[in-house]
Amino acid sequence: MTQNSPRYHSSHWGAFSATREGNDLVICPFAEDPDPSPILRNIPAALNHPARLSRPLVRRGWLEDGPGPDGRRGSDDYVEMGWDETLDLAASELKRLGAGSWKADDLHPGRHVFGGSYGWSSAGRFHHAQSQVHRFLNMAFGGYVASADTYSTAAGSVIMDTVVGNSTRISREGRWWEHIRDTTELVIAFGGLPTRNLSVSPGGSSQHIARDTITAASARGCRFVSISPLQDDFNVEGAVTRYAPRPATDVAVMLGMAYHLQAEQLVDRDYIARYTSGWEAFSAYLEGRTDQQPKTPEWAETISGVAAADIRALAEEAARKRTLVTVSYSLQRAENGEQPVWMALVLSAMIGGAKPGSGFVYALGSMGNHGKPSLAVPLPTLPQGHNRSGDFIPVARISDLLLNPGADYTYRGKTHSYSDIKLVYWAGGNPFHHHQDLRRLAQAFSRPDTIIVHDSVCTATTRHADIIFPATITAEREDIGASAGDPFLMPMQKLCEPHGMARDDYTIFCNLAERLGCLDSYSEGRSARDWLSHMYRKTRDAMEQLGEPVPDFDSFMEGTPLALPTSEAPSMMEAFHADPEANALATETGRIQIFSKLVASTGLPGHPAWIEPAEWLGAELAKTHPFQLIANQPKGKLHSQLDFGATSMSGKIAGREVARMNEDDARALGIGEGDMILISNARGATIAAAQPSEKVMPSVIQLSTGAWYAPREIEGRGIACVNGNPNAVTADRPASCFSQGCAGQLCLVSVEKYHGDAPAAMRHEDMLMGRRTPGSLTTTDHQP
Ligand code: PGD
């Protein structure tokens, strides 16, 4: 390979330019990024890593015995195939299941196909695998069973949609980082403002501004309060006070603060009267008139462990100052996850949130593109077509769907039932990393007739597929990078040729669509570059209308990142505060709902409340499983992506994920730095390397997500993941009957030192049996 001049590119964790040096890719962060993410260093390893898929693969059992439910998924080996024969096989199976033969007057086509295909895939507006698979299934089957909400936010989004009318706008809109820099006096961050989360935005983060903003705000006199069991959930030097509640008890802290505000007559009555509805019911609960339990700071202390005096002092400071309240996604990715988000909104209303720099923003600390100015122009998007099935599941109910066809479930106060799924088609996601209780998911994946997966690497999800198509990575194709709230449109220039025989998802779907007779509707006669040009036009036209200089498509793709104009329009909450009648919220009452009839109709309290979770440190189960596992987002990678990259690998010990626990707990269990530990409960076990730390509160163990799931039989102990994936032990239990959201952040576990030699971690390239990879575990090499 020759050395090239730098070419622009982007990723969910940052924009960059790259040059080729021999076979290596040299990455240089985008010059306008003040705080580039270390995750960028994972990218070069992706080029030719042995975990890359270089040709199509078919599971031996499926190839020999045909489609059907099969318990061998997950342990079968794979047969390497050529493209044409694999595409022919896949197309004939899709035809058997009805692809290419649906009619415009079919009532609910595609109800036996699950194409929810949740997953972050890669940056790039066109080659976004999830959009591509949805478009394909709409054209091929007329529709598919989709998924609602995300693993990131479901409980929080569903409750925000209900009580402020729009969860996206309450998290994205408002120039919060500018306010924090210039105006806000106190930021109370439930879940902190961790830079590891702020380094990521779906589609790209060209500028990481949080660190500089927090530093500048602290210098101006703004104070930060981080409320989290993990001290480094606020990891920027600054004026910060940290409180560590027991995990899952933030609602109690908030209620204790609310009680004190009420008792001291510090509640902003005007705000409550003008902007909210339902105060009376909540106030009765707060004072204990409904359940004989006033929610005093002392009551909050017994639940959360945060001192009553601190709760009082914080409430008083919040009432006195221009205060911003925010709650991270992590708090709602838990049992009753609606409650902390709803209660934080109510707390903010009680101290009055109408002044600039004060109020409530959902999940400021969870995503790099939140709290930044909105864009004045639309971003390029790929139309996904029309899904005629009318069917969906709440995204985290995938195992329930596959295991319980015909069963009823509730969502947002309505009852639905699960379809009978014959085909699962996944591209751009990794459910065997992201879903909870992975042994249960493995049972669920034994049910469908056929599972097809596209990925660029051999993940644990590919190990449960029947047909695997090897996809390119972004470096091997061109695209346009952009994210709502990010100020640059990035040309993603091709950096190298595809690995092996990998094809991009669009080409794979075109190849299948041609065999199914729906190529014209799928491709509309466009090449990938034609689509990029077509999608770019929408942004370009809008910029021209604003009188902004904008290059033609070819110049943009070969040129430099394009700065996008931002909007001066008020945010949803600014408009509402200015005129609550004219700009009423899209809720039952047009106001912020402190009480919701819809929520009450589901059997949950109709106002935010403390609801004891099944798995928390105060539960009966904690007597036998005394540690609360926090399975949060990793700092060395995005989810499971590029786990083999330099930054990710440098955080592991013996190729295994590291679990942090309090130093005193570790000492009591005879566990030292780097010791192998077994983290277990009735659902399963996972093996991690221990790291005692004073940053973790007692009785808590933190093991981030992202290790590739590698279950192994451990003598006398059943199945354990040898790579340290926490979803081997998390519960597949919904946040509530209202949202059915992912509750994977917290569960109760036992922790012990691993006695004897722990089984070796599984190398990424060894995930699939039967592949020809240098040094892989098995070498079967069949060609049909
Ligand atoms: P990723 O690792 O990003 O995880 O779950 P998600 O499935 O999104 O998976 C993306 C996959 O897409 C990777 O395997 C990658 O190789 C593949 N891919 C990337 N680019 C392409 C492409 O162009 N084409 C194709 N075909 N494939 C591509 C993340 C999910 O996990 C999320 S968002 C959250 S917030 C949840 N968090 C937690 C948690 O906090 N705690 C627990 N216990 N569990 C969680 N799971 C959830």
Side-chain angles (χ1 to χ4, degrees):
M1 290 285 163
T2 51
Q3 175 151 2
N4 295 322
S5 54
R7 294 179 68 70
Y8 285 102
H9 212 74
S10 195
S11 67
H12 294 307
W13 49 92
F16 60 95
S17 61
T19 44
R20 291 298 304 259
E21 286 185 8
N23 279 329
D24 295 331
L25 202 57
V26 180
I27 304 276
C28 182
F30 182 43
E32 303 213 26
D33 188 346
D35 186 21
S37 166
I39 304 178
L40 278 179
R41 289 199 294 274
N42 286 337
I43 292 173
L47 248 49
N48 289 306
H49 193 275
R52 284 292 304 271
L53 295 168
S54 56
R55 51 190 304 168
L57 294 153
V58 180
R59 187 171 66 78
R60 182 174 302 285
W62 191 91
L63 196 60
E64 291 174 352
D65 303 331
D70 195 339
R72 287 172 293 180
R73 290 191 183 108
S75 57
D76 216 348
D77 67 355
Y78 283 83
V79 177
E80 297 188 321
M81 310 262 291
W83 269 107
D84 281 341
E85 56 199 341
T86 316
L87 288 163
D88 289 345
L89 265 179
S92 88
E93 172 61 355
L94 296 179
K95 272 189 196 155
R96 182 185 78 84
L97 292 168
S101 56
W102 63 277
K103 305 275 178 311
D105 56 358
D106 286 352
L107 270 186
H108 299 294
R111 284 194 119 168
H112 55 304
V113 176
F114 181 69
S117 197
Y118 177 80
W120 269 56
S121 61
S122 294
R125 308 287 298 182
F126 174 66
H127 290 288
H128 180 242
Q130 199 187 117
S131 305
Q132 292 286 356
V133 69
H134 291 169
R135 183 177 167 84
F136 171 76
L137 294 174
N138 281 334
M139 305 303 164
F141 287 94
Y144 59 90
V145 176
S147 48
D149 311 315
T150 65
Y151 277 81
S152 300
T153 168
S157 299
V158 170
I159 195 70
M160 286 294 100
D161 282 348
T162 309
V163 302
V164 285
N166 192 315
S167 61
T168 308
R169 297 188 67 185
I170 191 86
S171 52
R172 281 212 198 125
E173 290 185 4
R175 296 170 171 246
W176 288 109
W177 289 106
E178 288 176 14
H179 290 311
I180 289 174
R181 188 191 59 202
D182 300 335
T183 326
T184 306
E185 293 169 324
L186 175 67
V187 178
I188 306 179
F190 289 92
L193 294 170
T195 54
R196 65 168 196 284
N197 291 352
L198 290 162
S199 70
V200 170
S201 340
S205 266
S206 62
Q207 293 177 324
H208 296 91
I209 59 165
R211 191 180 301 275
D212 286 356
T213 307
I214 291 171
T215 307
S218 293
R220 180 181 57 75
C222 175
R223 212 170 79 75
F224 293 84
V225 173
S226 174
I227 300 179
S228 168
L230 306 174
Q231 280 187 26
D232 44 9
D233 273 347
F234 192 98
N235 63 334
V236 178
E237 291 293 309
V240 61
T241 304
R242 296 180 176 88
Y243 297 112
R246 290 190 188 104
T249 66
D250 299 72
V251 176
V253 176
M254 296 177 204
L255 284 166
M257 289 173 69
Y259 183 92
H260 189 63
L261 292 172
Q262 168 92 322
E264 295 299 308
Q265 301 189 351
L266 292 170
V267 176
D268 186 334
R269 298 275 167 203
D270 292 342
Y271 189 97
I272 296 289
R274 190 162 149 79
Y275 298 113
T276 72
S277 60
W279 167 256
E280 271 316 314
F282 173 73
S283 159
Y285 166 76
L286 193 61
E287 291 171 355
R289 282 184 272 132
T290 50
D291 61 356
Q292 282 64 59
Q293 175 57 69
K295 311 302 172 303
T296 60
E298 283 71 21
W299 166 85
E301 179 177 339
T302 57
I303 291 173
S304 68
V306 177
D310 290 335
I311 292 174
R312 282 201 180 85
L314 187 57
E316 286 173 23
E317 184 181 357
R320 228 178 26 246
K321 288 184 170 172
R322 204 169 271 234
T323 301
L324 170 65
V325 180
T326 185
V327 180
S328 66
Y329 282 162
S330 53
L331 269 68
Q332 54 84 58
R333 207 177 296 127
E335 287 179 70
N336 312 309
E338 297 84 358
Q339 306 304 324
V341 185
W342 194 3
M343 185 55 220
L345 172 77
V346 171
L347 183 64
S348 150
M350 289 174 74
I351 51 180
K355 290 190 220 107
S358 69
F360 172 79
V361 54
Y362 172 41
L364 184 67
S366 304
M367 208 77 93
N369 61 341
H370 289 174
K372 291 179 171 173
S374 302
L375 298 173
V377 292
L379 295 175
T381 41
L382 175 71
Q384 295 184 6
H386 177 39
N387 183 349
R388 293 172 170 77
S389 86
D391 200 3
F392 73 97
I393 56 163
V395 68
R397 303 278 45 89
I398 173 70
S399 293
D400 288 354
L401 165 74
L402 299 178
L403 290 168
N404 305 314
D408 285 348
Y409 67 92
T410 54
Y411 176 65
R412 298 189 189 228
K414 290 201 176 125
T415 302
H416 306 262
S417 66
Y418 292 122
S419 287
D420 189 3
I421 298 297
K422 301 292 177 203
L423 170 72
V424 170
Y425 206 130
W426 220 294
N430 188 4
F432 277 87
H433 146 259
H434 71 229
H435 194 60
Q436 287 58 62
D437 195 348
L438 291 175
R439 283 172 69 187
R440 184 167 188 257
L441 183 68
Q443 279 170 15
F445 263 55
S446 72
R447 295 295 179 90
D449 283 2
T450 295
I451 299 176
I452 305 181
V453 172
H454 301 190
D455 208 306
S456 45
V457 287
C458 55
T459 64
T461 300
T462 62
R463 198 175 64 224
H464 291 81
D466 301 313
I467 299 176
I468 307 170
F469 288 120
T472 53
I473 57 170
T474 65
E476 296 159 356
R477 59 200 190 212
E478 59 177 7
D479 211 325
I480 299 174
S483 181
D486 191 78
F488 282 95
L489 197 68
M490 301 295 303
M492 292 173 66
Q493 296 159 351
K494 185 171 168 177
L495 306 174
C496 55
E497 291 307 313
H499 174 80
M501 291 160 62
R503 295 181 182 175
D504 61 58
D505 297 287
Y506 180 63
T507 304
I508 300 168
F509 286 128
C510 283
N511 297 156
L512 286 173
E514 190 172 14
R515 285 165 169 80
L516 299 173
C518 58
L519 179 61
D520 287 349
S521 60
Y522 178 67
S523 74
E524 298 182 18
R526 295 190 179 99
S527 66
R529 192 166 176 98
D530 294 339
W531 270 108
L532 286 171
S533 170
H534 176 72
M535 288 162 55
Y536 176 74
R537 193 172 307 144
K538 191 166 67 164
T539 308
R540 191 197 63 192
D541 290 352
M543 288 195 58
E544 275 174 354
Q545 271 176 19
L546 292 176
E548 295 279 341
V550 57
D552 63 40
F553 172 70
D554 289 331
S555 312
F556 165 72
M557 280 311 294
E558 291 313 310
T560 52
L562 177 63
L564 297 173
T566 55
S567 165
E568 295 302 323
S571 69
M572 175 178 82
M573 292 310 281
E574 283 165 344
F576 172 65
H577 285 144
D579 188 341
E581 305 300 331
N583 304 314
L585 300 175
T587 61
E588 286 166 4
T589 60
R591 308 275 169 94
I592 294 172
Q593 289 192 223
I594 298 178
F595 183 89
S596 161
K597 278 196 213 144
L598 179 65
V599 176
S601 74
T602 68
L604 291 169
H607 49 72
W610 160 250
I611 307 172
E612 190 175 333
E615 297 196 30
W616 74 295
L617 289 170
E620 191 62 25
L621 188 64
K623 291 184 180 144
T624 49
H625 295 82
F627 285 89
Q628 184 99 57
L629 174 71
I630 300 187
N632 61 356
Q633 300 299 323
K635 66 176 185 201
K637 58 192 161 252
L638 170 68
H639 311 138
S640 69
Q641 296 197 31
L642 308 184
D643 186 38
F644 43 71
T647 302
S648 174
M649 290 307 286
S650 69
K652 295 183 190 257
I653 295 178
R656 223 188 295 272
E657 213 64 23
V658 164
R660 296 189 308 162
M661 62 194 298
N662 183 268
E663 291 170 324
D664 292 340
D665 289 339
R667 204 172 301 116
L669 293 172
I671 293 170
E673 175 88 27
D675 283 348
M676 295 305 143
I677 53 174
L678 191 71
I679 301 169
S680 63
N681 57 24
R683 290 177 289 267
T686 192
I687 303 173
Q691 191 175 74
S693 166
E694 84 286 356
K695 293 195 161 63
V696 179
M697 72 178 283
S699 302
V700 166
I701 181 158
Q702 176 250 319
L703 175 64
S704 298
T705 59
W708 289 17
Y709 179 60
R712 283 275 169 278
E713 183 74 35
I714 308 289
E715 214 186 315
R717 302 306 298 261
I719 301 278
C721 172
V722 295
N723 287 351
N725 185 313
N727 281 321
V729 292
T730 54
D732 190 5
R733 178 194 289 126
S736 76
C737 62
F738 188 57
S739 68
Q740 299 284 354
C742 166
Q745 184 84 181
L746 302 174
C747 69
L748 288 176
V749 292
S750 299
V751 177
E752 63 197 279
K753 188 169 171 171
Y754 197 99
H755 291 292
D757 291 335
M762 186 191 276
R763 297 185 310 174
H764 300 91
E765 55 267 41
D766 292 333
M767 283 276 149
L768 285 182
M769 285 141 289
R771 278 191 334 134
R772 286 176 300 184
T773 54
S776 64
L777 281 180
T778 53
T779 52
T780 35
D781 182 18
H782 299 266
Q783 288 290 332

